[in-house]
Amino acid sequence: MLSDDVCQLLTAQRNEVVVSLAEAFAADALTASIEKLRHYDVTFRLLVWGAQDHLAAPQSLYRYWRNLGASVIHLLPPVERDEVNPGVTAQRWANFLRSIFELWVREDVGRVSVQVFDDALAVWRGTGVSIAIDTLPAQCQRCPALRLCNGDCPKHRLANGRSALCEGYQDFFTWSAPYMRVMRDLLAQHRSPVELMVMLRQQPI
């Protein structure tokens, strides 16, 4: 557990702390350290390393992660390639992202930063950063979702050069496009994307 002295030093230096969470819920010692960070107003971001049990109740888990008080939440998929631990399927990952996005876009726009959503919105606005993707197969080069996924993490790519989560990302980015488009347009008008939450209370997009 973090000591008071360490937390005071982090506060004085205004350092941001990265907290890695490999399980769905934080162990007691980690929870106590997070409470210390919050007590001393230390900014921290949460890296959630996905596991199969993360996918069963995504909105409940997101509420738990959100309530830990992280400034940014990174959702990292559990991609494996062996028979014992096959990891997440592309469609389950899409459903996981969609479920969390449905809650985030109605409750947390402008309040909680979920990196995959913020990165997608940056691309929609034309401010996102692209990486070198020349080595991807022709099918990827023609894909309309490429500008949003950048080919995914290289360690997730299969022998054919495509991501193991390819169809899942295509599904999520296509489904979330109407919401992203509205937030992009609001920002272009020098308005807050938070207005989308008000719109969604009145009627669905």
Side-chain angles (χ1 to χ4, degrees):
M1 186 177 75
L2 291 174
S3 68
D4 291 292
D5 289 342
V6 169
C7 289
Q8 289 171 356
L9 180 62
L10 291 170
T11 301
Q13 296 182 347
R14 297 184 179 180
N15 286 335
E16 183 182 57
V17 175
V18 176
V19 177
S20 181
L21 184 59
E23 302 297 332
F25 301 98
D28 291 344
L30 182 57
T31 300
S33 292
I34 290 173
E35 288 299 322
K36 285 265 189 183
L37 294 173
R38 296 181 66 177
H39 175 75
Y40 285 97
D41 292 323
V42 177
T43 302
F44 68 95
R45 59 180 60 211
L46 189 66
L47 269 63
V48 181
W49 295 91
Q52 291 290 358
D53 60 348
H54 288 59
L55 307 176
Q59 292 193 349
S60 295
L61 286 172
Y62 169 72
R63 286 190 177 97
Y64 169 75
W65 298 328
R66 174 187 68 188
N67 292 340
L68 288 175
S71 61
V72 180
I73 298 175
H74 298 258
L75 303 174
L76 305 171
V79 177
E80 302 291 343
R81 297 198 190 91
D82 61 75
E83 295 180 359
V84 176
N85 184 15
V88 63
T89 65
Q91 192 55 55
R92 288 197 75 189
W93 183 242
N95 294 341
F96 177 77
L97 292 178
R98 286 173 61 155
S99 293
I100 291 178
F101 186 90
E102 283 182 327
L103 185 60
W104 175 83
V105 81
R106 285 170 170 78
E107 298 182 5
D108 292 324
V109 175
R111 190 169 77 89
V112 177
S113 173
V114 180
Q115 189 184 38
V116 64
F117 306 156
D118 286 351
D119 287 350
L121 180 57
V123 173
W124 274 92
R125 297 182 65 198
T127 60
V129 178
S130 296
I131 60 174
I133 52 177
D134 294 339
T135 58
L136 293 174
Q139 185 177 1
C140 291
Q141 300 289 350
R142 295 190 298 267
C143 178
L146 179 59
R147 67 192 183 101
L148 295 160
C149 78
N150 277 323
D152 195 16
C153 177
K155 71 178 183 179
H156 297 164
R157 293 177 192 165
L158 303 172
N160 62 10
R162 298 175 62 206
S163 167
L165 302 176
C166 177
E167 288 81 3
Y169 279 120
Q170 287 180 4
D171 180 303
F172 171 70
F173 289 133
T174 300
W175 172 84
S176 63
Y179 302 92
M180 292 294 179
R181 194 174 293 115
V182 170
M183 289 189 286
R184 176 202 62 191
D185 293 346
L186 286 168
L187 287 163
Q189 298 166 26
H190 304 289
R191 296 162 64 186
S192 172
V194 173
E195 292 184 42
L196 175 58
M197 293 193 292
V198 179
M199 297 177 191
L200 290 173
R201 293 189 194 108
Q202 298 170 351
Q203 61 182 21
I205 294 180

mmCIF file of all heavy atoms in Angstrom, residues 4-5 19 24 36 46-47 62 64 71 78 102 114 120 126 138 155 185:
data_model
loop_
_atom_site.group_PDB
_atom_site.id
_atom_site.type_symbol
_atom_site.label_atom_id
_atom_site.label_comp_id
_atom_site.label_asym_id
_atom_site.label_seq_id
_atom_site.Cartn_x
_atom_site.Cartn_y
_atom_site.Cartn_z
ATOM 1 N N ASP A 4 1.769 7.610 3.160
ATOM 2 C CA ASP A 4 1.406 9.024 3.131
ATOM 3 C C ASP A 4 2.531 9.860 2.537
ATOM 4 O O ASP A 4 2.282 10.812 1.791
ATOM 5 C CB ASP A 4 1.076 9.510 4.538
ATOM 6 C CG ASP A 4 -0.206 8.902 5.067
ATOM 7 O OD1 ASP A 4 -1.283 9.233 4.534
ATOM 8 O OD2 ASP A 4 -0.130 8.080 5.998
ATOM 9 N N ASP A 5 3.766 9.511 2.871
ATOM 10 C CA ASP A 5 4.910 10.278 2.367
ATOM 11 C C ASP A 5 4.977 10.229 0.839
ATOM 12 O O ASP A 5 5.215 11.246 0.184
ATOM 13 C CB ASP A 5 6.216 9.743 2.960
ATOM 14 C CG ASP A 5 6.369 10.056 4.442
ATOM 15 O OD1 ASP A 5 5.643 10.956 4.914
ATOM 16 O OD2 ASP A 5 7.181 9.403 5.104
ATOM 17 N N VAL A 19 -2.402 3.078 -12.628
ATOM 18 C CA VAL A 19 -2.787 1.931 -11.808
ATOM 19 C C VAL A 19 -3.234 0.810 -12.732
ATOM 20 O O VAL A 19 -4.164 0.982 -13.523
ATOM 21 C CB VAL A 19 -3.926 2.298 -10.836
ATOM 22 C CG1 VAL A 19 -4.357 1.071 -10.039
ATOM 23 C CG2 VAL A 19 -3.499 3.417 -9.902
ATOM 24 N N ALA A 24 -11.103 -8.101 -12.268
ATOM 25 C CA ALA A 24 -12.288 -7.263 -12.415
ATOM 26 C C ALA A 24 -12.390 -6.244 -11.286
ATOM 27 O O ALA A 24 -12.765 -5.096 -11.485
ATOM 28 C CB ALA A 24 -13.546 -8.134 -12.449
ATOM 29 N N LYS A 36 -5.877 6.279 -0.921
ATOM 30 C CA LYS A 36 -4.822 7.228 -0.531
ATOM 31 C C LYS A 36 -4.601 8.257 -1.631
ATOM 32 O O LYS A 36 -4.472 9.461 -1.361
ATOM 33 C CB LYS A 36 -3.518 6.471 -0.264
ATOM 34 C CG LYS A 36 -3.464 5.715 1.041
ATOM 35 C CD LYS A 36 -2.802 6.534 2.124
ATOM 36 C CE LYS A 36 -2.554 5.677 3.352
ATOM 37 N NZ LYS A 36 -1.968 6.480 4.453
ATOM 38 N N LEU A 46 -6.428 4.477 -14.967
ATOM 39 C CA LEU A 46 -6.628 3.064 -14.692
ATOM 40 C C LEU A 46 -6.451 2.251 -15.967
ATOM 41 O O LEU A 46 -7.114 2.501 -16.971
ATOM 42 C CB LEU A 46 -8.036 2.862 -14.124
ATOM 43 C CG LEU A 46 -8.388 1.491 -13.576
ATOM 44 C CD1 LEU A 46 -7.559 1.181 -12.337
ATOM 45 C CD2 LEU A 46 -9.884 1.435 -13.228
ATOM 46 N N LEU A 47 -5.537 1.286 -15.921
ATOM 47 C CA LEU A 47 -5.363 0.337 -17.019
ATOM 48 C C LEU A 47 -6.069 -0.949 -16.638
ATOM 49 O O LEU A 47 -5.653 -1.639 -15.705
ATOM 50 C CB LEU A 47 -3.876 0.051 -17.267
ATOM 51 C CG LEU A 47 -3.138 0.921 -18.283
ATOM 52 C CD1 LEU A 47 -3.129 2.368 -17.810
ATOM 53 C CD2 LEU A 47 -1.708 0.428 -18.474
ATOM 54 N N TYR A 62 -17.964 -1.261 -15.416
ATOM 55 C CA TYR A 62 -17.589 0.116 -15.744
ATOM 56 C C TYR A 62 -17.939 1.062 -14.605
ATOM 57 O O TYR A 62 -17.143 1.937 -14.254
ATOM 58 C CB TYR A 62 -18.274 0.569 -17.034
ATOM 59 C CG TYR A 62 -18.128 2.051 -17.276
ATOM 60 C CD1 TYR A 62 -16.893 2.592 -17.667
ATOM 61 C CD2 TYR A 62 -19.190 2.922 -17.082
ATOM 62 C CE1 TYR A 62 -16.745 3.957 -17.857
ATOM 63 C CE2 TYR A 62 -19.061 4.284 -17.282
ATOM 64 C CZ TYR A 62 -17.833 4.793 -17.668
ATOM 65 O OH TYR A 62 -17.679 6.151 -17.847
ATOM 66 N N TYR A 64 -18.088 0.357 -11.493
ATOM 67 C CA TYR A 64 -17.098 0.120 -10.429
ATOM 68 C C TYR A 64 -15.782 0.812 -10.759
ATOM 69 O O TYR A 64 -15.215 1.538 -9.923
ATOM 70 C CB TYR A 64 -16.882 -1.383 -10.238
ATOM 71 C CG TYR A 64 -15.695 -1.704 -9.363
ATOM 72 C CD1 TYR A 64 -15.764 -1.525 -7.982
ATOM 73 C CD2 TYR A 64 -14.506 -2.161 -9.923
ATOM 74 C CE1 TYR A 64 -14.661 -1.802 -7.177
ATOM 75 C CE2 TYR A 64 -13.406 -2.444 -9.116
ATOM 76 C CZ TYR A 64 -13.489 -2.261 -7.752
ATOM 77 O OH TYR A 64 -12.396 -2.521 -6.959
ATOM 78 N N SER A 71 -8.835 9.342 -13.617
ATOM 79 C CA SER A 71 -9.049 10.415 -14.589
ATOM 80 C C SER A 71 -9.242 9.862 -15.991
ATOM 81 O O SER A 71 -9.945 10.451 -16.815
ATOM 82 C CB SER A 71 -7.861 11.376 -14.576
ATOM 83 O OG SER A 71 -6.659 10.693 -14.934
ATOM 84 N N PRO A 78 -8.392 -8.929 -23.731
ATOM 85 C CA PRO A 78 -7.664 -10.165 -23.434
ATOM 86 C C PRO A 78 -7.523 -11.024 -24.678
ATOM 87 O O PRO A 78 -8.341 -11.899 -24.943
ATOM 88 C CB PRO A 78 -8.566 -10.845 -22.395
ATOM 89 C CG PRO A 78 -9.942 -10.384 -22.754
ATOM 90 C CD PRO A 78 -9.804 -9.005 -23.343
ATOM 91 N N GLU A 102 -22.649 2.780 -24.293
ATOM 92 C CA GLU A 102 -24.046 3.162 -24.086
ATOM 93 C C GLU A 102 -24.236 3.861 -22.744
ATOM 94 O O GLU A 102 -25.028 4.808 -22.627
ATOM 95 C CB GLU A 102 -24.951 1.925 -24.160
ATOM 96 C CG GLU A 102 -25.206 1.438 -25.570
ATOM 97 C CD GLU A 102 -26.140 0.247 -25.606
ATOM 98 O OE1 GLU A 102 -26.099 -0.563 -24.641
ATOM 99 O OE2 GLU A 102 -26.912 0.113 -26.561
ATOM 100 N N VAL A 114 -12.570 7.652 -21.396
ATOM 101 C CA VAL A 114 -12.303 6.260 -21.771
ATOM 102 C C VAL A 114 -11.500 6.328 -23.059
ATOM 103 O O VAL A 114 -11.989 6.812 -24.083
ATOM 104 C CB VAL A 114 -13.607 5.465 -21.963
ATOM 105 C CG1 VAL A 114 -13.297 4.023 -22.364
ATOM 106 C CG2 VAL A 114 -14.441 5.493 -20.680
ATOM 107 N N ALA A 120 -11.262 7.686 -30.728
ATOM 108 C CA ALA A 120 -12.146 7.640 -31.898
ATOM 109 C C ALA A 120 -12.717 9.022 -32.193
ATOM 110 O O ALA A 120 -12.786 9.447 -33.356
ATOM 111 C CB ALA A 120 -13.273 6.633 -31.665
ATOM 112 N N GLY A 126 -10.626 14.986 -36.789
ATOM 113 C CA GLY A 126 -9.460 15.263 -37.612
ATOM 114 C C GLY A 126 -8.225 15.607 -36.815
ATOM 115 O O GLY A 126 -7.240 16.104 -37.368
ATOM 116 N N ALA A 138 -4.117 -5.713 -47.916
ATOM 117 C CA ALA A 138 -4.973 -4.871 -48.763
ATOM 118 C C ALA A 138 -6.386 -4.754 -48.206
ATOM 119 O O ALA A 138 -7.019 -3.695 -48.296
ATOM 120 C CB ALA A 138 -5.005 -5.442 -50.174
ATOM 121 N N LYS A 155 0.597 -6.939 -31.607
ATOM 122 C CA LYS A 155 0.611 -8.260 -30.960
ATOM 123 C C LYS A 155 -0.730 -8.976 -31.075
ATOM 124 O O LYS A 155 -0.822 -10.165 -30.765
ATOM 125 C CB LYS A 155 1.021 -8.132 -29.498
ATOM 126 C CG LYS A 155 -0.004 -7.482 -28.603
ATOM 127 C CD LYS A 155 0.489 -7.464 -27.162
ATOM 128 C CE LYS A 155 -0.572 -6.873 -26.224
ATOM 129 N NZ LYS A 155 -0.110 -6.866 -24.820
ATOM 130 N N ASP A 185 -19.774 17.410 -34.416
ATOM 131 C CA ASP A 185 -20.459 18.611 -34.898
ATOM 132 C C ASP A 185 -20.647 19.631 -33.778
ATOM 133 O O ASP A 185 -20.541 20.843 -34.000
ATOM 134 C CB ASP A 185 -21.797 18.240 -35.526
ATOM 135 C CG ASP A 185 -21.645 17.437 -36.814
ATOM 136 O OD1 ASP A 185 -20.521 17.401 -37.347
ATOM 137 O OD2 ASP A 185 -22.650 16.855 -37.270
#
